[in-house]
């Protein structure tokens, strides 16, 4: 196997929780707790999971927008955590991030051309005299008219603003783009436009994406491989086909079965999970899913399951569950949808 | 499914609600018709800004200035609500008609415990005494699936999760045994596993009470799963209406078709998502003919004239007449007009 473009090992990000009279540190929110994965050049790896499971924190920690508590990060073979602040700033151009709310991340007082110009100026990637041409090119690449660069962000629709966010990310020729819920706020018709655009751009410019989303439909459409997180941990990782056709972790199975299918003739056999996601401040012992898992046994409360590959899984497919073999044997590969 | 021979619980006809802004009139809801019967669920689906919420707020008469209900009628079991005075209507709201919203935090009062808020609703609507109301509140909280309801009743809204808060809202909404429950994006802010719980809860409660439900969502999956019949809204109008199976089997309106192919699904592979080009026009740019015209791949000259919502009679294949569509393609005029073009 070739060296991945990006790799993180045992990544942890804890947030201290202060309290009491002295405002001392009481405990930690273990937002990301021992997460490892790699992303290969040209692929799209997605992270899915419910609110608060640590998707965004993972995205920010690997960019060092938030300094990780522990763990290793390698980008293009370089130890990313060893970089000084100024080295880091230079390297930032290689990894760009696109957020859910494009409006919040665009300066309302700047015209689009200024926004793009500034991004390129900061990174020093394009000489000043070439920038106007590059701006025109970027506008076209993301499906906007070059003249629209004269406008302000508020003069665009949500989908168009997201295109501006993408143009800004592309302006510095990044190698990896982290998309954090980049299409979540968009209407379906606009969402389809932006998703198709991202796929096109990936083909054209050989981009690598880390795609963070809670929408498994979107994830199935855009990803090559998928990571499923629950309470700060990876519970399953697989290529897209294996994850959707042969999910092994009970949480992945429940998540897939919970999504309403836009087809009234198709009955879903739902695994209804009881209760809420527990607090990451005080995660359950053993398997963190045991408080909601319909298959939990005594061992699940005591021993934390490791990510591993069961006999019937393809290479690279891993899940962290003590009982996955029995569950898959008993309930079949895809539990969620019945014709 | 509900019997259609009975008077519907809710019948909306020609509803028009506009906002009178500095830039002129925004016709948020422009001639909307639908009805919902007892034990029936009508789903209203459409993209952001299509007028779904304003439709439901109009029914609740909660439209705020500069908005105004301009015309039409809203019949609750045969009585026109728009003909009632404010105080007369206030008796209906929360008594016979209840509503739950997307973000329960904004509709719950942060300074009172949730138990108190449910009991207050019961005291007002059911005229229960303090003690009875408290007991009944705990029973309601249990009914909507809140674990340890005695303890949870003492908590404040911020101490509960989003899913729990939505359950509390549902408990309050149901405290008056409404004939009609309006749920505006009740699960949009929730995780899918919690969404599944809430949708199941609404369904079970409907089964036991027989209330009519109007569910508003932008999610076609939620529609397919909960609704008996569906109204698709676009730019303030209903553009298609059908029972849920028919709609998904053979969507007719080019917009409905587009929507269905634009959604990436988790259960099947889709190579390329269909794109509905452009965006919803602003009210200043709204075409006077078919509002979908600038985005429609089939637009023809005849579409310059505004189409009405009608039973399809042409070009739709399947033999059934349960639905209605606002598009020229399914009319005799389309055949005549396009033939004329061919000849020319
Ligand atoms: N700055 C912070 N301080 C304290 N806790 C934080 C901070 N940022 C995130 N958290 C906590 O870390 C956990 C993970 O949060 P994160 O934003 O990564 O979740 P997420 O998976 O992106 O969720 P969502 O789908 O809602 O965006 C949550 O419990 C969150 O409350
Ligand atoms: N206070 C207001 N002033 C002016 N226009 C308004 C106001 N409130 C709503 N509108 C307009 O009314 C139209 C319909 O809005 P509505 O809230 O019903 O949309 P919706 O279908 O519920 O959308 P969403 O899915 O985003 O909730 C929109 O075009 C909106 O801009
Ligand atoms: S380890 Fe146990 S509790 Fe965890 S997912 Fe597997 S069966 Fe469920
Ligand atoms: S009336 Fe014309 S423009 Fe409108 S949806 Fe039908 S074909 Fe398209
Ligand atoms: Mg997030
Ligand atoms: Mg709305």
């Amino acid at each position: 196997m070739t060296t991945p473009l990006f790799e993180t090992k045992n990544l942890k990000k804890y947030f201290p929780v202060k309290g009491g009279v002295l405002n001392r540190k009481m405990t930690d929110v273990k937002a990301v707790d021992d997460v490892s994965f790699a992303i290969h050049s040209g692929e799209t790896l997605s992270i899915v999971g419910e609110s608060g499971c640590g998707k965004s924190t993972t995205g920010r920690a690997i960019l060092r927008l938030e300094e990780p508590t522990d763990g290793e990060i390698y980008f293009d073979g370089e130890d990313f955590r060893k970089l000084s602040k100024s080295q880091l700033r230079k390297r930032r151009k290689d990894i760009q991030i696109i957020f859910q709310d494009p409006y919040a991340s665009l300066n309302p007082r700047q015209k689009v051309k200024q926004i793009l110009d500034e991004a390129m100026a900061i990174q020093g990637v394009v000489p000043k005299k070439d920038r106007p041409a590059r701006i025109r090119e970027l506008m076209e690449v993301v499906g906007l008219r070059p003249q629209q660069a004269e406008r302000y962000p508020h003069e665009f629709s949500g989908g168009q603003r997201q295109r501006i966010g993408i143009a800004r990310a592309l302006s510095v020729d990044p190698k990896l783009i982290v998309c954090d819920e980049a299409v979540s706020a968009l209407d379906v018709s606009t969402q389809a436009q932006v998703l198709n655009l991202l796929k096109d751009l990936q083909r054209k410019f050989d981009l690598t994406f880390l795609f963070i989303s809670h929408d498994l439909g979107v994830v199935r459409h855009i990803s090559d491989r998928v990571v499923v997180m629950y309470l700060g941990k990876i519970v399953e990782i697989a290529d897209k086909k294996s994850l959707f056709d042969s999910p092994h972790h009970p949480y992945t199975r429940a998540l897939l079965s919970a999504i309403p299918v836009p087809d009234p003739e198709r009955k879903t056999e739902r695994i209804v999970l009881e209760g809420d996601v527990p607090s990451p401040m005080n995660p359950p012992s053993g398997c963190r899913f045991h408080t909601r898992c319909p298959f939990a046994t005594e061992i699940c409360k005591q021993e934390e399951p490791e990510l591993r590959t069961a006999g019937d899984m393809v290479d690279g497919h891993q899940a962290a569950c003590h009982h996955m073999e029995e569950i898959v044997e008993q309930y079949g590969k895809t539990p969620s949808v019945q014709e | 499914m509900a019997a259609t021979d009975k008077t519907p619980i809710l019948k909306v006809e020609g509803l028009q609600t506009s906002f009178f802004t500095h830039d002129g009139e925004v016709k948020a809801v422009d001639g909307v018709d639908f009805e919902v019967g007892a034990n029936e669920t009508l789903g209203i689906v459409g993209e952001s800004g299509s007028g779904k919420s304003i439709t439901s707020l109009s029914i609740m008469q909660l439209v705020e200035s500069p908005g105004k209900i301009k015309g039409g009628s809203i019949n609750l079991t045969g009585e026109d609500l728009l003909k009632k005075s404010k105080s007369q209507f206030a008796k209906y709201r929360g008594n016979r008609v209840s509503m739950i919203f997307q973000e329960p935090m904004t509709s719950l009062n942060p300074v009172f415990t949730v138990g108190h808020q449910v009991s207050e609703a019961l005291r007002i609507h059911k005229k229960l005494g303090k003690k009875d109301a408290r007991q009944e509140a705990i029973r309601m909280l249990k009914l909507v699936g809140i674990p340890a309801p005695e303890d949870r009743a003492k908590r404040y809204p911020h101490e509960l999760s989003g899913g729990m808060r939505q359950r509390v809202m549902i408990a309050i909404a149901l405290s008056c045994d409404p004939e009609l429950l309006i749920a505006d994006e009740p699960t949009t802010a929730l995780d899918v596993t919690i969404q599944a719980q809430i949708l199941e809860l609404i369904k079970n409660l409907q089964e036991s009470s027989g209330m009519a439900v109007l569910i508003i969502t932008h999610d076609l999956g939620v529609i397919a799963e909960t609704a008996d019949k569906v109204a698709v809204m676009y730019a303030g109008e209903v553009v298609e209406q059908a029972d849920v199976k028919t709609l998904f089997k053979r969507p007719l309106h080019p917009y409905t078709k587009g929507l269905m192919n634009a959604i990436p699904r988790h259960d099947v592979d889709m190579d390329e998502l269909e794109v509905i080009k452009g965006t919803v026009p602003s009210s200043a740019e709204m075409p006077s003919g078919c509002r979908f015209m600038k985005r429609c791949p089939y637009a023809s000259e005849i579409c310059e004239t505004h189409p009405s919502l009608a039973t399809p009679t042409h070009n739709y294949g399947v033999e059934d007449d349960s639905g209605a569509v606002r598009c020229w393609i399914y009319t005799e005029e389309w055949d005549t007009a396009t033939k004329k073009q061919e000849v020319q």
Side-chain angles (χ1 to χ4, degrees):
Chain A
M1 225 182 209
T2 52
T3 354
L5 175 67
F6 172 87
E7 187 164 20
T8 184
K9 289 182 188 162
N10 311 104
L11 184 74
K12 290 183 185 162
K13 177 68 199 177
Y14 294 174
F15 295 104
V17 179
K18 293 186 180 153
V21 217
L22 299 171
N23 206 29
R24 283 219 190 98
K25 187 180 128 173
M26 312 276 284
T27 174
D28 284 311
V29 173
K30 298 180 176 171
V32 178
D33 200 7
D34 202 358
V35 157
S36 306
F37 60 86
I39 314 176
H40 295 273
S41 186
E43 81 166 344
T44 300
L45 176 78
S46 290
I47 305 182
V48 296
E50 291 177 284
S51 186
C53 69
K55 305 182 292 297
S56 298
T57 307
T58 303
R60 287 200 304 270
I62 63 165
L63 286 167
R64 286 183 62 192
L65 291 175
E66 238 152 350
E67 214 45 65
T69 309
D70 197 11
E72 300 162 51
I73 303 170
Y74 300 96
F75 185 76
D76 231 357
E78 189 175 31
D79 188 340
F80 207 64
R81 291 204 64 193
K82 290 234 170 76
L83 299 181
S84 68
K85 280 251 159 66
S86 64
Q87 287 172 315
L88 185 63
R89 211 170 306 123
K90 285 208 193 88
R91 278 310 222 153
R92 279 267 156 78
K93 77 166 206 50
D94 289 332
I95 316 183
Q96 287 289 304
I97 186 161
I98 305 171
F99 297 99
Q100 166 164 2
D101 182 0
Y103 203 54
S105 61
L106 299 172
N107 183 343
R109 278 182 289 278
Q110 283 186 325
K111 288 182 179 172
V112 170
K113 65 170 187 189
Q114 292 167 309
I115 292 173
L116 297 176
D117 187 88
E118 191 178 274
M120 291 186 272
I122 290 171
Q123 295 298 344
V125 279
V126 183
K128 195 166 173 61
K129 65 171 178 34
D130 297 339
R131 280 185 224 143
R134 176 77 175 139
I135 290 170
R136 281 196 297 277
E137 185 189 322
L138 283 165
M139 293 295 280
E140 273 171 6
V141 159
V142 298
L144 295 169
R145 290 195 306 278
Q147 308 88 285
Q148 289 176 308
E150 299 293 332
R151 296 200 195 163
Y152 292 92
H154 75 262
E155 296 174 81
F156 292 89
S157 70
Q160 288 175 323
R161 282 201 285 261
Q162 200 52 285
R163 288 167 191 267
I164 298 168
I166 295 169
R168 181 177 56 184
L170 288 176
S171 70
V172 297
D173 271 327
K175 292 183 179 149
L176 174 69
I177 301 184
V178 177
C179 303
D180 189 352
E181 304 281 1
V183 297
S184 305
L186 304 177
D187 264 326
V188 281
S189 69
T190 328
Q191 174 180 289
Q193 294 170 3
V194 174
L195 284 175
N196 285 350
L197 171 67
L198 288 173
K199 275 194 148 182
D200 270 0
L201 294 174
Q202 179 165 45
R203 254 170 277 166
K204 245 185 237 157
F205 303 112
D206 197 29
L207 293 171
T208 308
F209 288 125
L210 175 63
F211 199 88
I212 294 170
S213 173
H214 67 279
D215 184 329
L216 279 144
V218 169
V219 163
R220 178 171 189 148
H221 187 71
I222 195 105
S223 322
D224 297 304
R225 286 190 305 128
V226 184
V227 164
V228 183
M229 285 184 74
Y230 185 80
L231 270 179
K233 293 218 173 259
I234 295 181
V235 296
E236 189 155 7
I237 179 166
D239 63 279
K240 168 170 72 179
K241 189 169 168 18
S242 305
L243 192 100
F244 285 93
D245 292 348
S246 164
H248 273 57
H249 197 280
Y251 177 65
T252 313
R253 293 163 76 91
L255 200 59
L256 285 172
S257 83
I259 307 165
V261 181
D263 182 350
E265 311 265 357
R266 245 177 146 176
K267 279 259 174 300
T268 44
E269 194 177 326
R270 183 144 296 156
I271 307 166
V272 177
L273 291 180
E274 306 274 319
D276 289 320
V277 183
S279 156
M281 244 186 298
N282 202 343
S285 60
C287 172
R288 291 188 178 187
F289 188 52
H290 87 248
T291 52
R292 299 173 82 199
C293 180
F295 309 105
T297 62
E298 212 36 51
I299 182 180
C300 307
K301 291 179 199 159
Q302 279 148 25
E303 269 174 50
E304 184 173 331
E306 300 263 322
L307 274 172
R308 64 194 173 89
T309 304
D312 64 330
M313 286 170 157
V314 302
D315 220 22
H317 184 176
Q318 292 183 309
C321 167
H322 293 302
H323 300 307
M324 59 187 171
E325 285 88 352
E326 300 120 82
I327 294 166
V328 169
E329 193 176 297
Q330 193 174 345
Y331 294 91
K333 291 215 150 168
T334 22
S336 55
V337 181
Q338 290 192 328
E339 292 286 344
Chain B
M1 214 164 287
T4 40
D5 48 44
K6 282 194 297 187
T7 321
I9 301 280
L10 175 73
K11 183 169 181 155
V12 173
E13 280 178 302
L15 179 68
Q16 288 181 304
T17 303
S18 287
F19 287 87
F20 297 89
T21 67
H22 293 299
D23 307 327
E25 178 180 355
V26 177
K27 296 179 177 173
V29 177
D30 197 9
V32 161
D33 308 290
F34 57 78
E35 52 182 72
V36 207
N39 222 346
E40 190 175 51
T41 300
L42 170 72
I44 299 186
V45 65
E47 290 181 279
S48 188
S50 57
K52 305 181 298 293
S53 294
I54 302 301
T55 300
S56 57
L57 292 174
S58 301
I59 298 167
M60 295 300 282
Q61 297 191 28
L62 291 173
V63 179
E64 281 174 7
S65 165
K68 206 171 165 287
I69 300 178
K70 266 180 34 182
S73 64
I74 300 170
N75 284 282
L76 189 68
T77 57
E79 289 176 85
D80 190 348
L81 297 182
L82 294 182
K83 296 229 169 76
K84 306 238 170 267
S85 69
K86 269 230 160 78
S87 63
Q88 276 175 317
F89 182 75
K91 288 207 195 93
Y92 285 81
R93 186 167 50 224
N95 244 339
R96 297 179 57 194
V97 192
S98 285
M99 182 158 174
I100 50 179
F101 300 90
Q102 173 169 344
E103 187 27 81
M105 203 54 191
T106 54
S107 9
L108 289 170
N109 191 330
V111 303
F112 292 112
T113 64
V114 296
H116 176 84
Q117 296 185 54
V118 181
S119 349
E120 275 306 293
L122 287 162
R123 288 184 63 187
I124 296 167
H125 299 302
K126 285 210 174 141
K127 309 271 178 291
L128 296 182
K130 232 182 182 155
K131 218 167 145 201
D132 290 344
R134 204 175 305 140
Q135 264 178 5
E136 179 65 8
I138 287 169
R139 198 188 67 82
M140 294 290 304
L141 290 174
K142 196 167 172 191
L143 182 76
V144 297
I146 292 186
E150 289 87 357
D151 171 59
R152 287 295 176 357
K154 294 180 205 136
R155 312 242 164 211
Y156 292 88
H158 74 267
E159 297 178 279
L160 301 182
S161 67
M164 292 273 201
R165 287 199 288 260
Q166 196 56 287
R167 285 171 193 271
V168 172
M169 272 313 295
I170 294 174
I172 292 174
L174 295 181
S175 63
C176 62
D177 296 322
E179 289 157 73
L180 172 68
L181 175 71
I182 301 177
D184 188 353
E185 307 270 6
T187 56
T188 305
L190 305 176
D191 278 321
V192 278
T193 61
I194 310 299
Q195 163 168 285
Q197 297 170 356
I198 298 287
L199 293 180
E200 187 159 289
L201 171 66
I202 295 177
K203 202 179 256 176
N204 291 343
L205 294 169
Q206 181 181 34
E207 266 164 30
S208 58
S209 74
M211 65 187 173
V213 175
L214 179 61
I215 187 159
I216 290 171
T217 171
H218 65 279
D219 184 335
L220 280 167
V222 171
I223 289 282
E225 205 141 282
T226 57
D228 299 308
K229 51 185 200 181
V230 189
V232 182
M233 283 191 76
Y234 183 80
E237 297 180 321
V238 173
V239 294
E240 183 159 9
Q241 207 171 67
D243 75 77
V244 71
K245 286 195 176 146
T246 311
L247 187 89
F248 280 88
K249 204 173 346 165
R250 49 117 253 228
L252 294 179
H253 199 283
Y255 175 65
T256 317
K257 287 185 188 173
L259 268 191
M260 287 192 184
N261 296 322
I263 308 169
R265 289 174 57 163
H266 74 282
D267 59 329
V268 286
D269 274 323
M270 295 167 84
D271 287 340
E272 184 85 350
L273 298 176
E274 191 171 307
V275 163
I276 305 176
K277 62 178 188 199
T279 48
V280 183
S282 68
S283 59
E285 300 165 327
M286 195 62 72
S288 62
C290 173
R291 295 187 175 174
F292 191 55
M293 192 163 174
K294 289 203 183 113
R295 307 177 74 187
C296 180
Y298 310 102
S300 151
E301 222 168 282
I302 188 176
C303 309
E304 306 270 3
T305 309
H306 190 244
S308 47
L309 184 69
T311 307
T313 56
H314 285 66
N315 307 320
Y316 70 101
V318 191
E319 279 300 311
D320 65 70
D321 57 359
S322 58
V325 58
R326 191 186 288 282
C327 170
W328 284 112
I329 294 177
Y330 307 100
T331 64
E332 192 177 347
E333 286 90 335
W334 179 269
D335 287 358
T336 330
T338 45
K339 267 196 203 99
K340 206 163 62 195
Q341 273 176 359
E342 274 166 29
V343 175
Q344 277 169 354

